[in-house]
């Protein structure tokens, strides 16, 4: 305790579901649960085929396939209740590759859009940290001089990407794409209004 200290975090909500969901994934068993959509402020029942458990920022998520809509969806475990593993089996799709599903994603939000080239310009001092700890595995260094460290990413435009960029404050500037640049500017304006 006096020589090494690990990051500590509270036990994530929904952790009680991990064991049963993990078992359902391994055995290809359909899962039923109620889900609280905090954005729509409603709770609905879901029947899904579970494919993957993923942790992000100390929270757990279940990536599933919905046969009704023939698409993949992500659910936060801390918003799930009445989780039931059924006896109904399903055939796992060969098209789902866990190592590829989130390849172009920063965070947990995956969508069906194509990844875009994101160019970020960091201040020289902060850029040194970005060189040591890349923003994403696709990161390429375009410029590294006394004025800036400019990098290119090939990623999906997700809310987590926006939050990450805003977290760098005035140490970063979005060069491209224009839509992301506008989104960051608009978000910064809204933040400024909160402090007036």
């Amino acid at each position: 305790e006096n020589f090494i200290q690990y990051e500590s975090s509270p036990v994530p909500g929904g952790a009680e579901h991990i064991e049963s969901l993990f078992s359902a994934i391994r055995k290809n068993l359909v899962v039923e649960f109620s889900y609280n959509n905090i954005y729509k402020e409603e709770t609905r029942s879901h029947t899904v085929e579970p494919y993957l458990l993923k942790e992000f920022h100390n929270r757990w998520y279940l990536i599933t396939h919905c046969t009704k809509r023939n698409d993949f969806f992500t659910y936060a475990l801390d918003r799930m209740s009445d989780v039931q593993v059924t006896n109904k089996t399903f055939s796992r799709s060969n098209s789902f590759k866990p190592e590829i599903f989130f390849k172009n994603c920063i965070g947990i939000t995956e969508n069906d859009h194509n990844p875009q080239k994101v160019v970020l310009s960091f201040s020289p001092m902060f850029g040194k940290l970005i060189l040591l700890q890349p923003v994403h595995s696709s990161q390429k260094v375009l410029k590294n001089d006394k004025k800036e460290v400019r990098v290119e990413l090939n990623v999906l435009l997700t809310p987590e990407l926006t939050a990450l960029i805003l977290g760098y404050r005035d140490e970063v500037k979005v060069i491209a794409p224009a839509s992301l640049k506008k989104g960051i500017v608009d978000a910064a304006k809204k933040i400024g209004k909160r402090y007036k």
Side-chain angles (χ1 to χ4, degrees):
E1 290 182 2
N2 293 328
F3 302 104
I4 186 168
Q5 190 175 66
Y6 295 97
E7 181 180 8
S8 61
S9 59
V11 176
E16 67 275 14
H17 304 312
I18 292 176
E19 187 176 345
S20 60
L21 291 174
F22 178 72
S23 177
I25 292 169
R26 289 188 65 194
K27 297 176 181 177
N28 293 343
L29 295 174
V30 171
V31 173
E32 298 173 349
F33 56 86
S34 296
Y35 192 72
N36 179 19
N37 187 321
I38 59 175
Y39 305 106
K40 294 182 179 178
E41 296 184 346
E42 65 179 18
T43 300
R44 293 175 55 195
S45 297
H46 295 270
T47 301
V48 298
E49 300 170 348
Y51 272 68
L52 178 71
L53 281 165
K54 181 175 175 66
E55 184 185 17
F56 177 67
H57 283 184
N58 298 314
R59 293 182 70 201
W60 283 93
Y61 298 86
L62 179 68
I63 289 74
T64 69
H65 181 258
C66 176
T67 52
K68 279 186 179 180
R69 295 163 72 179
N70 192 28
D71 203 355
F72 288 92
F73 294 91
T74 301
Y75 298 93
L77 266 60
D78 56 3
R79 291 187 240 152
M80 294 168 63
S81 60
D82 304 320
V83 177
Q84 300 292 325
V85 178
T86 71
N87 291 323
K88 185 180 178 182
T89 60
F90 67 92
S91 297
R92 198 173 172 88
S93 171
N94 292 327
S95 66
F96 182 82
K97 308 288 183 191
E99 66 278 8
I100 295 174
F101 194 70
F102 289 104
K103 180 182 178 183
N104 299 113
C105 182
I106 290 178
I108 197 70
T109 306
E110 196 279 336
N111 56 49
D112 58 0
H113 301 128
N114 292 322
Q116 296 191 38
K117 287 185 179 179
V118 173
V119 180
L120 305 175
S121 173
F122 291 91
S123 65
M125 282 300 296
F126 202 87
K128 292 179 181 179
L129 296 174
I130 299 302
L131 295 176
L132 291 172
Q133 188 174 359
V135 176
H136 187 259
S137 59
S138 65
Q139 179 172 305
K140 294 179 183 176
V141 179
L142 302 179
K143 191 184 291 186
N144 180 11
D145 57 30
K146 293 181 179 180
K147 292 183 178 180
E148 67 173 327
V149 172
R150 185 174 291 201
V151 299
E152 179 185 285
L153 314 173
N154 188 42
V155 293
L156 296 168
L157 303 186
T158 64
E160 292 93 333
L161 174 62
T162 299
L164 181 71
I165 292 170
L166 288 170
Y168 294 137
R169 306 175 318 277
D170 59 341
E171 301 288 347
V172 66
K173 179 180 178 181
V174 177
I175 306 300
S179 60
L180 178 59
K181 185 175 183 177
K182 183 182 183 305
I184 295 296
V185 170
D186 291 345
K189 286 178 181 177
K190 289 178 182 178
I191 292 170
K193 286 180 181 178
R194 281 185 171 267
Y195 288 90
K196 289 184 178 178

